[in-house]
Amino acid sequence: MSATTAPAWTKTRQQPGALARLFDNKAFLIIVCLAPAVGLLMTFLTYPLGLGIWLAFTDTTIGRAGIWVGLENFEYLMGDPIFLNSVFYSVFYTAVATVGKFGLGLWLALLLNQHLPMKSLLRAIILLPWIVPTVLSAIAFWWIYDPQFSILSYLSMKMGLTEGPIDFINTAWPARWSLIFANIWRGIPFVAISLLAGLQTISPSLYEAALLDGATPWQRFRHITFPMLMPILAIVMTFSIIFTFTDFQLVYAITRGGPVNSTHLMATLAFQRGIPGGQLGEGAAIAVAMIPFLVFATLFSYFGLARRKWQQGESND
Amino acid sequence: MATVSVRQAKKVFGSTKILHGVDVEIADGEFVVLVGPSGCGKSTLLRMIAGLENISGGEIAIGGRVVNNVPPKDRDIAMVFQNYALYPHMTVRENMAFSMKLAKAPASVMEEEVNRAAKILGLDALLDRYPRQLSGGQRQRVAMGRAIVRHPQVFLFDEPLSNLDAKLRVQMRSEIKELQQRLATTTIYVTHDQIEAMTMADQIVVMNGGRIEQAGAPLALYDRPANLFVAGFIGSPAMNLLPGRIADGGFRTDGGALLPLPPGTSGNAATYGIRPEHLMLADDGVEGTIVIVEPTGSETQVTLRIGETQIIGAFRERVQGRPGDPLRVMPDLSLVHLFGPDGNRLS
């Protein structure tokens, strides 16, 4: 410690530079920060979507820029039995596969929520169908459904269940059901794991309280598990419906829409008409026709299932 | 309403013994508090009575009927959980009526029972709200309402007040006690808070390490703790427990202080116990040095050092003193507790 006092020191206030002042400008900052995100979204989302919608109203083909034809593409499609069939199959495929995925997925989630030995290993195995690339599992199914080399046909013939090979994808209805089965197989893990996460948020003391209140296992499911799971169920179902309705890979890899266009989904038909068929305008029109279905499904599950009064905040209404 | 008998109840989780053979007798209409530090097995015992944990050994009887193998719903009990366990997707009314709905009671009965419980608990205006829209105290009341509507033989409470703030806790404490007196239903209440135990119980069961240390009326435990654990656990501020031995015409603590003994004391006392509130300011008392003075308004707590021994006194008088000042105190000789080397009380 020295006895001398430090010289008086005053801080001179420095005028910030031009660049510093620019970055203090709120409007400038907003633009700078938003630009990358907006740029990416515009380039990769808005532009293709806008282009697709525009094409749907033109008669563009590959190699020839089209002209505006108004609703002509849609008018033509309304009279096209292949398109109408693809609309029917898209809805049917989505409805049946969703019911199957959610029925089995919920069942699996409830099982996995019990105290099982090797629980984490089981959960990892359950996820397998989902982490395998779709095209890869589609090829596997293609092989399983093969008219000549199907392992299922082979086994059933060995066991004497059928005389000849089973018809999986050679006629319309068996092909439709086979594709739905493959889609369910692929979709179950997503549903099961998401619902399992939802189940684990339910406090065990609620089940204990219900046990003391005299609830049977079914009543505990009906009055506790199911309503408590509803919010997450709604979200998962919305996603699942969107993914199923817009499915492309499974169908295109296994049947390419055949036999005789019977298994075309709207997505596969749009691709078929637009790229190999060259009718870009018509393909785009088919794709655009999917939008109302998706909007409807989303609104339905969002408003019908997701909103629950008891989840909302502190308001008293 | 019923008696509850726990006879040699044991609980084992894997190789860990939680309860080592516990005996509790609960009379009809009695309010019994199980109290002890966390991990002492009190909640486990309550859950065994409820039927949420199975019984590894011994037996539990409710109303004279052994319930070891009776499922929870048939034991005729109702439980209030620590986190209340209200069904978040049901209104207050639906929460309270749920057990009756499962039992397929007629709507008029449900309505009547819910209204009766709501009136008792002051929930009339809240019947159509969801648990989310209620305060902590209101949720607590709904949880009790859910128990009341069932007219159970036994109420079980598992630390019901630990999620409430201090003021509300005091209020709910007296509400629960008043409710129990009005309904006269046998009640078993688990807490780690000895003040809750003292204020609410007809009988306190002090547990530690899976064993019962002492059971009895609150003031009996306060006046005559059976061992060092109960002596230290019951009472706030805690009893001064000073290890030492009888010598030099008094009790010589290991810290070197010489404390007076009741006349006629002899034997092998190893611990001298005196409650802070049983020390008096006295000019002819033992001299100590003030370490810290903590006035609470109604009384003054003073930490003294006598020799190397620290001792806490609580005085109705306002002690004027600063750290380092001398202060003379005298134990009330009729209220001195002596414990043997094994930790048990010497009578």
Side-chain angles (χ1 to χ4, degrees):
Chain A
M1 289 287 280
S2 68
T4 53
T5 52
W9 180 81
T10 49
K11 183 174 186 288
T12 48
R13 201 179 155 77
Q14 284 177 334
Q15 199 61 30
L19 198 63
R21 265 180 291 144
L22 184 62
F23 274 95
D24 274 343
N25 182 326
K26 202 168 179 183
F28 175 77
L29 269 184
I30 289 173
I31 292 167
V32 165
C33 294
L34 276 181
V38 170
L40 284 172
L41 286 177
M42 295 291 277
T43 315
F44 295 108
L45 221 70
T46 315
Y47 171 70
L49 186 68
L51 183 64
I53 293 175
W54 162 254
L55 283 175
F57 295 94
T58 66
D59 63 354
T60 311
T61 57
I62 288 179
R64 179 175 68 82
I67 53 156
W68 177 267
V69 294
L71 291 172
E72 208 170 280
N73 283 329
F74 295 98
E75 282 161 18
Y76 166 73
L77 286 173
M78 288 317 285
D80 175 4
I82 295 176
F83 170 75
L84 293 178
N85 180 63
S86 80
V87 172
F88 159 75
Y89 187 54
S90 289
V91 172
F92 183 76
Y93 181 82
T94 307
V96 177
T98 303
V99 169
K101 274 187 260 196
F102 276 78
L104 294 171
L106 181 58
W107 175 67
L108 208 55
L110 289 170
L111 274 187
L112 286 176
N113 200 32
Q114 308 290 321
H115 292 288
L116 294 173
M118 295 190 295
K119 194 151 69 174
S120 32
L121 184 71
L122 277 175
R123 285 182 193 170
I125 292 173
I126 296 295
L127 266 179
L128 272 181
W130 199 51
I131 49 178
V132 174
T134 311
V135 172
L136 208 61
S137 50
I139 291 172
F141 267 100
W142 181 42
W143 197 234
I144 290 172
Y145 291 154
D146 188 273
Q148 273 191 293
F149 303 107
S150 164
I151 176 117
L152 293 180
S153 296
Y154 174 78
L155 286 177
S156 86
M157 283 191 293
K158 275 276 171 201
M159 288 191 292
L161 295 177
T162 53
E163 297 218 331
I166 305 169
D167 167 22
F168 285 113
I169 49 174
N170 291 336
T171 48
W173 276 104
R176 287 176 180 148
W177 285 110
S178 298
L179 289 175
I180 288 172
F181 177 82
N183 183 279
I184 291 176
W185 176 84
R186 221 192 116 63
I188 283 177
F190 173 67
V191 175
I193 295 294
S194 309
L195 294 187
L196 179 62
L199 284 176
Q200 291 182 336
T201 63
I202 303 176
S203 160
S205 62
L206 288 184
Y207 291 110
E208 291 179 344
L211 199 65
L212 293 177
D213 276 343
T216 60
W218 164 250
Q219 286 170 324
R220 290 202 291 279
F221 174 78
R222 161 82 184 70
H223 293 290
I224 312 286
T225 312
F226 193 68
M228 299 286 290
L229 209 52
M230 210 52 176
I232 194 153
L233 200 72
I235 301 292
V236 176
M237 193 175 269
T238 309
F239 276 107
S240 174
I241 288 177
I242 290 173
F243 291 147
T244 313
F245 196 83
T246 58
D247 196 8
F248 173 83
Q249 300 181 67
L250 262 183
V251 171
Y252 207 75
I254 297 177
T255 65
R256 297 200 178 247
V260 238
N261 298 319
S262 60
T263 59
H264 261 308
L265 295 171
M266 289 171 85
T268 53
L269 187 67
F271 177 76
Q272 186 74 34
R273 292 271 168 91
I275 307 299
Q279 303 292 329
L280 283 177
E282 200 181 314
I286 297 172
V288 166
M290 291 165 75
I291 294 175
F293 289 97
L294 294 175
V295 169
F296 175 76
T298 311
L299 290 181
F300 173 76
S301 44
Y302 188 74
F303 286 105
L305 305 172
R307 277 163 71 97
R308 284 285 173 278
K309 214 173 179 183
W310 56 270
Q311 291 181 292
Q312 289 166 8
E314 310 292 314
S315 69
N316 291 339
D317 58 11
Chain B
M1 271 136 280
T3 59
V4 177
S5 306
V6 179
R7 297 180 206 110
Q8 280 301 305
K10 293 188 181 69
K11 180 68 192 176
V12 180
F13 283 116
S15 60
T16 319
K17 277 190 137 183
I18 307 292
L19 290 178
H20 309 263
V22 168
D23 292 284
V24 186
E25 283 297 326
I26 298 167
D28 189 9
E30 202 177 16
F31 195 123
V32 172
V33 175
L34 306 179
V35 67
S38 37
C40 71
K42 56 192 189 300
S43 280
T44 307
L45 178 58
L46 190 79
R47 292 169 58 85
M48 283 160 73
I49 296 170
L52 298 174
E53 302 281 355
N54 57 20
I55 300 164
S56 309
E59 63 179 28
I60 292 176
I62 297 175
R65 176 176 66 136
V66 174
V67 293
N68 283 33
N69 295 314
V70 177
K73 68 185 171 81
D74 298 328
R75 294 190 182 193
D76 212 355
I77 43 136
M79 184 158 167
V80 174
F81 291 82
Q82 182 172 1
N83 62 1
Y84 319 136
L86 299 180
Y87 310 120
H89 55 291
M90 299 184 198
T91 61
V92 170
R93 186 192 305 278
E94 289 164 343
N95 261 287
M96 295 210 279
F98 189 58
S99 60
M100 292 184 282
K101 186 176 157 192
L102 294 178
K104 299 198 166 53
S108 58
V109 173
M110 287 204 272
E111 181 76 19
E112 198 178 307
E113 284 295 332
V114 168
N115 286 340
R116 185 185 71 98
K119 193 165 234 150
I120 292 175
L121 295 162
L123 289 169
D124 312 59
L126 307 174
L127 282 176
D128 293 313
R129 293 211 192 166
Y130 288 94
R132 229 195 153 118
Q133 301 163 332
L134 302 177
S135 69
Q138 289 166 340
R139 286 181 207 180
Q140 173 69 62
R141 277 197 209 111
V142 176
M144 288 198 284
R146 203 165 60 173
I148 290 175
V149 295
R150 299 180 49 201
H151 298 286
Q153 295 202 18
V154 183
F155 279 133
L156 306 176
F157 290 87
D158 188 5
E159 308 218 12
L161 303 184
S162 48
N163 287 357
L164 301 179
D165 63 53
K167 196 176 167 199
L168 204 51
R169 203 176 300 163
V170 174
Q171 185 195 333
M172 291 307 293
R173 197 164 79 193
S174 48
E175 274 186 35
I176 292 177
K177 180 160 185 176
E178 194 217 30
L179 182 71
Q180 196 269 342
Q181 284 170 349
R182 177 141 46 129
L183 301 174
T185 305
T186 312
T187 300
I188 306 175
Y189 185 106
V190 162
T191 180
H192 60 263
D193 181 351
Q194 59 92 17
I195 300 211
E196 261 173 44
M198 291 293 286
T199 49
M200 300 173 89
D202 296 324
Q203 186 192 169
I204 294 182
V205 177
V206 181
M207 297 181 66
N208 185 33
R211 291 192 174 81
I212 291 181
E213 297 283 348
Q214 190 177 2
L219 292 178
L221 265 60
Y222 179 85
D223 291 337
R224 292 185 61 81
N227 52 44
L228 285 174
F229 180 82
V230 178
F233 194 80
I234 298 288
S236 171
M239 185 191 284
N240 295 296
L241 292 169
L242 310 168
R245 66 203 150 77
I246 293 178
D248 310 328
F251 188 88
R252 178 70 71 183
T253 68
D254 291 348
L258 185 65
L259 300 169
L261 282 168
T265 310
S266 61
N268 58 344
T271 306
Y272 185 98
I274 182 73
R275 293 195 183 276
E277 55 271 35
H278 297 150
L279 284 171
M280 294 162 299
L281 299 174
D283 294 336
D284 58 347
V286 184
E287 186 174 317
T289 316
I290 296 177
V291 177
I292 192 166
V293 178
E294 296 165 289
T296 62
S298 62
E299 57 174 34
T300 312
Q301 282 183 31
V302 182
T303 306
L304 289 173
R305 182 178 290 126
I306 304 173
E308 290 302 306
T309 302
Q310 287 221 354
I311 185 168
I312 295 175
F315 308 104
R316 308 296 297 180
E317 300 89 348
R318 303 208 162 167
V319 177
Q320 304 294 339
R322 300 177 53 76
D325 290 352
L327 190 72
R328 283 181 174 274
V329 295
M330 186 65 188
D332 183 337
L333 291 183
S334 63
L335 296 171
V336 168
H337 309 267
L338 293 172
F339 300 93
D342 59 354
N344 288 330
R345 178 185 193 85
L346 301 175
S347 48

